[in-house]
């Protein structure tokens, strides 16, 4: 488990619009990488290309290479569904399936992929994923009640459990705490620290303290102006990015002297 991601000369388009340009980076396994940068610079766009969720948008496509342990995610014959099994994603707003129970939510992705999993295995997998997401104790007595009945922080952890149940190599998180209170946020941050022992994690966040707290490496994206493509300005150890970045633009952004 846990794989290395590498982007080479990555350009990302929405139809004719080049939203992101020239991304080159390496994301190390068993580590947390944070993406920061102003709104519209392409953080979510880059994240979605990493599990082939970008191309589901009409006219959207990618140039360049994205490698998962050296294998091109966009190579001929690569099945996007298989990519999404290896590279899980957690979205900004917790999105449990409202009509499904907690347990069904956890196993939703597994059911999509797997033919038949017997009841005992299902129960085991469900418990393991919920434990992994640090939610088990809170929900173990109501697994058959709707996932939508949980608090926001619990729903977000439920979505993390759903992603973990797929046993991915990589976990992408797009502002997973932006809708959460400080206590739930800390719970998710603790969880990210635990998960990085087994997964490659990429998290998008607007919260610089959060980036500083949870990540080993930070990538700063920026945009020159409306309509211009977003670019990865620099990526490196989080300590360095927040204390002595190489680029003036990074310094300006992290110190709040921006725009
Ligand atoms: N579905 C889409 N169709 C067309 N353009 C899009 C689409 N989604 C995003 N874009 C454009 O791509 C650019 C990058 O957007 P993206 O959502 O990746 O930015 P972001 O860095 O995640 O911003 P935020 O911090 O606000 O979430 C923006 O100019 C945006 O308008
Ligand atoms: Mg975004």
């Amino acid at each position: 488990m846990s794989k290395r991601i590498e982007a080479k000369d990555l350009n990302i388009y929405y139809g004719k619009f080049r939203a992101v340009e020239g991304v080159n980076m390496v994301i190390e396994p068993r580590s947390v990488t944070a993406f920061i940068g102003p709104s519209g610079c392409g953080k979510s766009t880059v994240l979605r290309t990493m599990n082939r969720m970008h191309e589901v948008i009409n006219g959207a496509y990618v140039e360049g290479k994205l490698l998962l342990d050296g294998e091109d995610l966009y190579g001929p014959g690569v099945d996007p569904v298989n990519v999404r099994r290896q590279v899980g994603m957690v979205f900004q707003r917790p999105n449990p399936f409202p009509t499904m129970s907690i347990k069904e939510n956890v196993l939703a992705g597994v059911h999509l992929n797997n033919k038949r999993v017997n009841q005992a295995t299902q129960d085991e997998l469900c418990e393991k994923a919920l434990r992994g997401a640090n939610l088990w104790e809170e929900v173990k007595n109501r697994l058959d009640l709707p996932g939508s009945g949980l608090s926001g922080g619990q729903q977000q952890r439920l979505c993390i459990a759903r992603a973990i149940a797929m046993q991915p190599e990589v976990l992408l998180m797009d502002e997973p705490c932006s809708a959460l209170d400080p206590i739930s946020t800390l719970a998710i941050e603790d969880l990210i620290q635990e998960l990085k022992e087994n997964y490659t994690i990429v998290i998008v966040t607007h919260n610089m303290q959060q980036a500083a707290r949870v990540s080993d490496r930070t990538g700063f994206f920026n945009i020159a102006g409306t309509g211009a493509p977003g670019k990865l300005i620099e990526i490196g150890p989080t300590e360095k990015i927040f204390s002595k970045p190489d680029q003036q633009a990074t310094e300006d952004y992290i110190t709040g002297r921006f725009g």
Side-chain angles (χ1 to χ4, degrees):
M1 282 221 282
S2 190
K3 290 188 174 176
R4 177 180 199 262
I5 304 175
E6 186 170 2
K8 287 184 172 173
D9 300 323
L10 191 67
N11 300 322
I12 312 173
Y13 295 83
Y14 293 100
K16 289 194 181 115
F17 175 49
R18 185 189 272 208
V20 178
E21 175 174 276
V23 175
N24 285 287
M25 68 182 165
V26 170
I27 291 173
E28 298 292 349
R30 293 174 203 276
S31 71
V32 180
T33 299
F35 288 173
I36 60 168
S39 185
C41 67
K43 305 177 296 296
S44 298
T45 298
V46 171
L47 207 66
R48 284 195 296 264
T49 60
M50 291 179 175
N51 74 342
R52 296 199 54 173
M53 282 292 281
H54 176 66
E55 70 213 52
V56 304
I57 295 156
N58 220 333
Y61 68 100
V62 166
E63 287 173 351
K65 277 199 160 55
L66 255 179
L67 309 174
L68 188 65
D69 266 4
E71 275 187 53
D72 191 353
L73 289 180
Y74 288 84
V78 174
D79 179 1
V81 174
N82 192 34
V83 172
R84 286 172 210 141
R85 196 187 55 71
Q86 294 183 68
V87 185
M89 183 139 183
V90 174
F91 296 88
Q92 174 166 1
R93 288 183 182 284
N95 56 345
F97 300 113
T99 59
M100 289 187 189
S101 70
I102 291 171
K103 183 176 163 190
E104 286 166 340
N105 262 286
V106 173
L107 297 173
V110 179
H111 284 311
L112 280 180
N113 271 283
N114 274 14
K115 349 62 213 173
R116 272 163 196 278
V117 193
N118 71 40
Q119 193 63 43
T121 313
Q122 286 188 26
D123 290 348
E124 207 175 297
L125 196 59
C126 177
E127 176 171 344
K128 195 168 163 226
L130 284 168
R131 282 192 188 281
N134 221 338
L135 186 60
W136 174 251
E137 292 301 329
E138 288 156 75
V139 301
K140 63 183 178 190
N141 296 323
R142 48 168 162 162
L143 294 176
D144 295 320
L145 295 182
S148 50
L150 299 175
S151 75
Q154 289 171 332
Q155 287 188 21
Q156 195 55 295
R157 278 178 285 151
L158 179 62
C159 294
I160 293 171
R162 187 171 67 192
I164 295 176
M166 310 272 292
Q167 299 176 288
E169 313 281 351
V170 179
L171 206 50
L172 309 174
M173 301 182 163
D174 197 351
E175 301 191 49
C177 301
S178 64
L180 304 184
D181 65 275
I183 305 269
S184 305
T185 296
L186 285 181
I188 302 277
E189 289 182 7
D190 285 347
L191 178 57
I192 291 172
Q193 289 305 316
E194 285 169 29
L195 291 175
K196 82 169 181 188
E197 289 175 19
N198 293 308
Y199 300 94
T200 309
I201 296 179
V202 186
I203 175 175
V204 173
T205 179
H206 276 285
N207 180 330
M208 308 255 214
Q209 284 80 19
Q210 176 166 73
R213 280 194 299 263
V214 302
S215 72
D216 304 293
R217 290 167 57 82
T218 295
F220 170 61
F221 289 81
N222 205 358
I223 184 168
T226 320
K231 291 182 182 177
L232 175 64
I233 304 300
E234 92 177 272
I235 185 166
T238 296
E239 263 178 41
K240 175 173 190 285
I241 297 292
F242 281 96
S243 58
K244 265 204 263 161
D246 289 333
Q247 303 297 323
Q248 186 62 43
T250 312
E251 170 101 36
D252 289 349
Y253 186 76
I254 55 137
T255 55
R257 266 181 283 131
F258 175 68

